[in-house]
Amino acid sequence: MALLNILEFPDPRLRTRAAAVKNIDDSLLALIDDMFETMYAAAGIGLAATQINVHLRLVVMDLSGEGTESLVLINPEVDILDDERERSDEGCLSVPGYYETVERANHIRLRALGRDGKPFELEAKDLLAVCIQHELDHLEGKLFVDYISPLKRTRIRSKLEKKHRLDHQA
Ligand code: NI
């Protein structure tokens, strides 16, 4: 297995819309394993393939952060089930160090293929619903900072650009 490099805002590659997965083959399964390893190493609870510069509709998640609730979403789709909305603080491995309040639907149904290629559905509320919507946004080239004020977004962007310049010099 291997740790993959995670793209960070404002990298333009994060704005790519991902294409459907056509084949669940050995290379995709190896990629899924690497994505889990990368997510756990970074102490994240979700990682979309977009974030590691692979533009396929593939997400790994684990709300437990320690391997007990691992979830693979291939070609996921979401339906919003009612009008209830919730505000919660979100972070992202592609926006390291920043947390902002985002409002999203609180009750959704997810349809996806699992690691075994079989379709499954689940209803989600609260943190799981937030995390699924956040990860699916990545597949559309969207980030949680798109929902916050332009002023805050610009400030985060400048700070991360400065960090990237320093990383580059180091
Ligand atoms: Ni994210």
Side-chain angles (χ1 to χ4, degrees):
M1 293 208 283
L3 288 183
L4 305 165
N5 183 47
I6 299 175
L7 302 178
E8 293 185 2
F9 177 68
D11 192 309
R13 292 171 291 183
L14 287 166
R15 298 311 189 172
T16 311
R17 187 169 188 275
V21 171
K22 293 211 172 86
N23 295 306
I24 302 176
D25 54 15
D26 287 349
S27 69
L28 193 84
L29 296 176
L31 177 68
I32 290 169
D33 291 342
D34 288 345
M35 284 174 65
F36 271 117
E37 193 185 8
T38 302
M39 179 184 79
Y40 291 130
I45 57 172
L47 184 69
T50 309
Q51 294 176 271
I52 45 115
N53 201 30
V54 173
H55 300 289
L56 291 173
R57 304 188 83 79
L58 167 65
V59 165
V60 301
M61 287 177 43
D62 187 338
L63 293 196
S64 76
E66 48 194 28
T68 58
E69 294 173 42
S70 65
L71 205 52
V72 175
L73 316 182
I74 296 170
N75 298 341
E77 291 181 45
V78 154
D79 297 317
I80 293 169
L81 294 180
D82 58 45
D83 291 339
E84 192 188 334
R85 296 179 66 81
E86 272 293 316
R87 291 162 62 80
S88 61
D89 285 350
E90 291 187 27
C92 180
L93 295 178
S94 294
V95 191
Y98 295 91
Y99 298 86
E100 296 289 344
T101 306
V102 175
E103 184 183 302
R104 295 188 189 269
N106 194 43
H107 191 196
I108 63 166
R109 182 187 293 115
L110 165 75
R111 287 171 287 126
L113 304 179
R115 195 181 193 283
D116 57 6
K118 293 190 178 135
F120 69 96
E121 282 191 13
L122 64 84
E123 260 187 59
K125 291 195 104 176
D126 306 320
L127 178 62
L128 182 59
V130 167
C131 192
I132 289 169
Q133 291 171 87
H134 175 117
E135 298 309 327
L136 264 65
D137 271 358
H138 278 301
L139 305 181
E140 298 301 321
K142 282 173 79 176
L143 296 167
F144 81 91
V145 292
D146 299 348
Y147 299 102
I148 66 177
S149 76
L151 183 68
K152 279 185 181 168
R153 185 166 55 250
T154 302
R155 194 160 41 197
I156 293 173
R157 182 191 178 112
S158 331
K159 287 189 177 159
L160 284 176
E161 281 173 339
K162 187 175 175 193
K163 168 183 171 289
H164 297 155
R165 282 195 298 275
L166 293 171
D167 288 350
H168 197 69
Q169 284 165 16

